[in-house]
Amino acid sequence: MGPHPAVAAIRLAVRRVLHDVLTDLTDLPQTRSGGTPGAVPRAGGRLPAPTPAGRPPLVLVACSGGADSMALASALAFEAPKLGIRAGGITVDHGLQAGSDLRAAEVVSRMTALRLDPVESVAVRVGREGGPEAAARDARYGALDEAADRLGAVAVLLGHTRDDQAETVLLGLARGSGIRSLSGMPEASGGPGGPGGPGRSRRYRRPFLQVDRQTARKACMVQSLPVWDDPHNIDPAYTRSRLRHEGLPALEKALGKGVVEALARTAQLSRDDADALDSWAAEAETGVRDEDGRLECAKLYALPPAVRRRVLRRAVVAAGSPAGSLFARHIEEVDRLITGWRGQGAINLPGRVEAQRQGGRLVIRQG
């Protein structure tokens, strides 16, 4: 008799991602044809490439002790040894609640009981920039990056579920940030602000984006895994918490069941479109610059708006504006230098970058 369906679902999701990691490491072609439907092939039937230290590659799980990340930790502990991968775990102590250090120590014990190794608790100081949720996220990713670099991990698994993806799409819709925000979280990324440096462009993996939150919780229950429910997740002071407990239920009541699945599907479709437009913009950028590399306003004007704004955003980021601080309204102001030129002055942008129109050219530089 096989495992419970919920356990089987989380293990399959993790197994697929681990094969993706091995494929990236060994540069082997990835195929799912010629086998049992739904099965994931072994990476060429070979052991994964060892790390520079001569040891098998290490994959970490970021575990808060909640149901999603505990289910992920259990699936990683089960699947990794079968593929010759070392499995470890990191829990981040944000220090935002009394006794958070004791809670982190308990999570370490639970991961150790799953035979993950190495296992660490990392304490961080959460700032205030961008609000409490963004500040906590930045501190968390900073700690995970440091741990992954120090331990030589090839990937860090995150427990974001399909429900989290739906919430992210709605938050992006509320911000009016465009199709990239509607694309939600990618299955593989380098963190909240982009690649984050060489070797990090696919560091973070999200195996559960097609798994609902209830499946992860059920997998913990049938495996008798203790879980911790973070009180912040039900605190109405946090935007995501209000959306989870008030917004999404209201949508389901008004529109019927299936809203979460539809939003997750929207994320994937939007990501495909956004990726295609980004690729188009990258190709178009070389054709709108003069011999000195300056952007020509007439050629920019001729581009489709979605492509032109992407070219402008790429140029602003290249000039030194932080991608995470650059919003749609900033790019719209720069775009008006092309489409609504009336002699206006320079546009000030994040990172002390300014954009201005000079003699039919768009000049973007740090002040």
Side-chain angles (χ1 to χ4, degrees):
M1 184 175 178
H4 186 279
V7 176
I10 65 170
R11 288 177 178 176
L12 177 60
V14 168
R15 185 157 69 250
R16 284 174 168 161
V17 166
L18 292 181
H19 275 282
D20 288 343
V21 171
L22 295 183
T23 298
D24 288 349
L25 285 176
T26 59
D27 198 27
L28 291 173
Q30 185 173 352
T31 175
R32 288 186 171 88
S33 61
T36 303
V40 181
R42 297 186 65 86
R46 302 192 312 209
L47 290 176
T51 61
R55 304 182 68 188
L58 171 66
V59 173
L60 299 173
V61 57
C63 185
S64 67
D68 303 339
S69 60
M70 281 302 299
L72 182 58
S74 70
L76 176 63
F78 182 84
E79 295 292 339
K82 298 192 294 184
L83 296 173
I85 295 174
R86 290 184 296 139
I90 300 292
T91 187
V92 178
D93 175 11
H94 297 85
L96 297 177
Q97 302 168 8
S100 63
D101 55 337
L102 298 178
R103 174 64 59 187
E106 186 176 344
V107 174
V108 166
S109 297
R110 292 177 184 175
M111 288 193 289
T112 302
L114 291 171
R115 299 187 178 180
L116 297 178
D117 181 38
V119 169
E120 292 186 3
S121 170
V122 181
V124 298
R125 184 184 297 274
V126 177
R128 297 182 178 180
E129 186 174 352
E133 292 168 283
R137 182 179 65 248
D138 290 344
R140 180 166 60 254
Y141 275 102
L144 293 174
D145 270 337
E146 185 279 330
D149 287 339
R150 175 167 44 81
L151 297 172
V154 298
V156 179
L157 306 189
L158 305 175
H160 298 123
T161 65
R162 185 170 63 190
D163 301 77
D164 295 310
Q165 184 74 298
E167 293 161 8
T168 301
V169 172
L170 285 177
L171 289 171
L173 182 64
R175 286 193 296 266
S177 303
I179 194 171
R180 180 56 72 183
S181 284
L182 295 184
S183 65
M185 296 174 287
E187 292 183 353
S189 71
R200 295 184 182 177
S201 61
R202 290 172 60 82
R203 163 173 286 174
Y204 293 101
R205 312 286 180 132
R206 299 173 176 85
F208 288 175
L209 288 185
Q210 301 302 320
V211 176
D212 62 70
R213 189 174 290 142
Q214 195 58 38
T215 296
R217 184 170 289 276
K218 183 69 173 180
C220 289
M221 185 182 72
V222 299
Q223 294 179 101
S224 300
L225 294 174
V227 299
W228 172 64
D229 292 315
D230 187 345
H232 282 170
N233 290 336
I234 57 173
D235 188 342
Y238 295 95
T239 304
R240 187 177 285 269
S241 175
R242 294 195 301 274
L243 180 59
R244 179 174 302 176
H245 298 287
E246 300 173 24
L248 268 173
L251 281 175
E252 289 194 334
K253 183 178 180 180
L255 302 176
K257 295 293 183 180
V259 170
V260 168
E261 293 86 344
L263 288 170
R265 187 163 58 252
T266 296
Q268 185 56 59
L269 294 172
S270 298
R271 180 164 298 280
D272 292 343
D273 290 349
D275 288 346
L277 287 168
D278 286 347
S279 178
W280 186 355
E283 294 176 2
E285 184 173 0
T286 58
V288 297
R289 292 185 180 273
D290 62 18
E291 294 179 353
D292 297 322
R294 296 176 298 177
L295 292 166
E296 298 187 66
C297 295
K299 292 181 178 179
L300 283 168
Y301 185 85
L303 291 175
V307 178
R308 181 177 61 246
R309 287 192 291 267
R310 280 168 167 77
V311 171
L312 295 176
R313 189 179 194 281
R314 286 169 58 90
V316 171
V317 171
S321 190
S325 302
L326 198 59
F327 302 130
R329 59 182 174 83
H330 295 127
I331 302 304
E332 288 170 1
E333 291 181 20
V334 177
D335 194 40
R336 279 194 286 272
L337 295 176
I338 308 298
T339 62
W341 174 243
R342 295 183 299 276
Q344 57 264 46
I347 305 297
N348 294 317
L349 300 163
R352 297 185 297 107
V353 172
E354 64 177 28
Q356 59 182 325
R357 181 165 173 157
Q358 295 179 347
R361 304 290 190 272
L362 187 65
V363 180
I364 302 174
R365 62 192 173 201
Q366 272 191 320

